[in-house]
Amino acid sequence: MPRHIAIIMDGNGRWAKARNLPRALGHRQGVLALKPIVKTCARIGVSVLTVYAFSTENWIRPKSEVDALMSLLMEFLRAETAELKMEGVSIRTIGNISKLPARALAALQESMQRTADEKRMILNLALNYGGRDELVRAVNRWARQGGDQALTEEILANYLDTAGLPDPDLLIRSSGEERISNFMLWQIAYAEIYVTKTMWPDFDPEELIKAIRAFQSRTRRFGAVE
Ligand code: IPE
Ligand code: IPE
Ligand code: MG
C-alpha cells in the first residue's frame, strides 16, 4: 500500500463543459468526488493523502471562478469536518495559506484544530500551493533562522510545508494531462506516476483502486539495479 498518495485533481472544467454546465458546477461535482476518495484511503490504510486543490497559478483565473472555489472550500470544511474527524482523519494544508481570503483561512484553521488529534490518516489540502513557491519560502525561513552551515537535503526537507511527512509514493493525475503543474516538485522525486483520462468529478474509489494496483505492479528501483 502506498503510504502517501498525492492527487492532481484536474478536469472539473472539461467535465462541466462536456455537459454544457458552468465550470463552477464542475468544481462542485469535483468536491463531491473527493469525499469517497478520502474515506477509501483512510479505510485501506493510506497514511497521507495530499490533494492539489488550488495552485499559486490558479489566481489568474476569472475572479468569479476563484471566488467559487474558495466558497466550495469553506462549504466542504463546514459540511465534512465532523465526519472526517469520526473517520480519524486529520486535516492539514500545504501552500501559502496566509494569502487565502480571511473567511476561508478561518474555516481551515477551525477544521485543522478540530481534527488535530486524529491519527488514522492525514488529509493534506494543497491550497495556494506551488512547488517553487514552497522551496523559496523554505529557503527564506531557513536563512531567517540564521541558517549558516551548508544547506543539506535533510535540513531543507525540514523547512518544507511537508516537514515530517513521507514523500508521495504514488502521484495520480486525472483528466489525461501528462504534466506536474508545479506540484510537489521536491517530494515527488521518486513517486510512481499514474495518469488517467477520467475527469476528476468521475474519479471514484474503483479508479483509485485501479491506480493503487498499477502502483503495486511497478518495480521501484530508486536508482539501484534491479
Ligand atoms: C481542476 O479542474 C480544479 C482546479 C484547478 C481548481 P480545472 O478547473 O483545471 O478543470 P479543467 O482542466 O479546466 O478541465
Ligand atoms: C493543476 O491543474 C492545479 C490543480 C489541480 C489545483 P491546472 O488545471 O491548474 O493545471 P494546468 O494549467 O492544466 O497545467
Ligand atoms: Mg485543469
Side-chain angles (χ1 to χ4, degrees):
M1 192 57 66
R3 273 214 291 168
H4 184 171
I5 298 179
I7 307 184
I8 302 175
M9 306 185 291
D10 196 16
N12 294 347
R14 277 162 286 165
W15 182 94
K17 192 170 179 209
R19 288 160 182 77
N20 269 314
L21 297 169
R23 290 180 61 87
L25 258 175
H27 293 312
R28 177 168 293 278
Q29 211 57 38
V31 173
L32 289 179
L34 178 60
K35 189 176 161 183
I37 299 303
V38 176
K39 266 199 189 178
T40 306
C41 284
R43 291 180 179 183
I44 63 181
V46 173
S47 307
V48 185
L49 171 65
T50 301
V51 294
Y52 206 2
F54 195 86
S55 77
T56 48
E57 286 72 38
N58 287 147
W59 295 108
I60 62 178
R61 295 188 179 197
K63 182 175 182 302
S64 57
E65 183 169 344
V66 171
D67 289 349
L69 284 164
M70 294 301 156
S71 297
L72 280 168
L73 168 66
M74 290 186 283
E75 247 180 73
F76 172 79
L77 294 169
R78 235 177 271 129
E80 306 301 341
T81 298
E83 198 176 329
L84 289 173
K85 186 175 168 63
M86 278 198 314
E87 294 280 338
V89 175
S90 166
I91 298 172
R92 295 215 217 154
T93 65
I94 56 172
N96 185 358
I97 58 170
S98 72
K99 297 282 156 60
L100 295 179
R103 289 191 324 140
L105 185 55
L108 260 177
Q109 274 159 346
E110 195 196 318
S111 293
M112 288 196 278
Q113 264 163 22
R114 276 172 68 194
T115 59
D117 294 332
E118 301 309 322
K119 295 280 182 288
R120 183 144 79 147
M121 188 180 82
I122 291 168
L123 171 62
N124 208 11
L125 303 172
L127 291 162
N128 189 24
Y129 178 86
R132 290 183 172 183
D133 178 67
E134 178 190 34
L135 283 160
V136 169
R137 283 187 291 105
V139 172
N140 278 327
R141 234 180 289 143
W142 169 77
R144 257 186 271 120
Q145 292 186 7
D148 48 3
Q149 328 115 297
L151 192 51
T152 63
E153 292 190 11
E154 285 71 29
I155 293 172
L156 181 52
N158 280 326
Y159 283 89
L160 295 174
D161 298 343
T162 50
L165 300 181
D167 286 340
D169 303 292
L170 170 61
L171 171 68
I172 298 173
R173 183 163 187 153
S174 59
S175 90
E177 308 296 355
E178 295 173 315
R179 57 177 172 255
I180 299 300
S181 302
N182 204 9
F183 191 44
M184 302 189 95
L185 298 179
W186 174 276
Q187 296 88 341
I188 60 170
Y190 270 99
E192 293 293 327
I193 300 176
Y194 181 91
V195 175
T196 171
K197 290 212 158 60
T198 304
M199 298 294 150
W200 177 253
D202 291 328
F203 191 95
D204 58 11
E206 206 176 308
E207 282 273 355
L208 174 72
I209 301 304
K210 241 169 82 183
I212 292 173
R213 289 215 194 291
F215 167 81
Q216 288 168 335
S217 73
R218 309 257 182 102
T219 306
R220 299 180 84 186
R221 282 192 287 274
F222 300 100
V225 289
E226 221 175 304

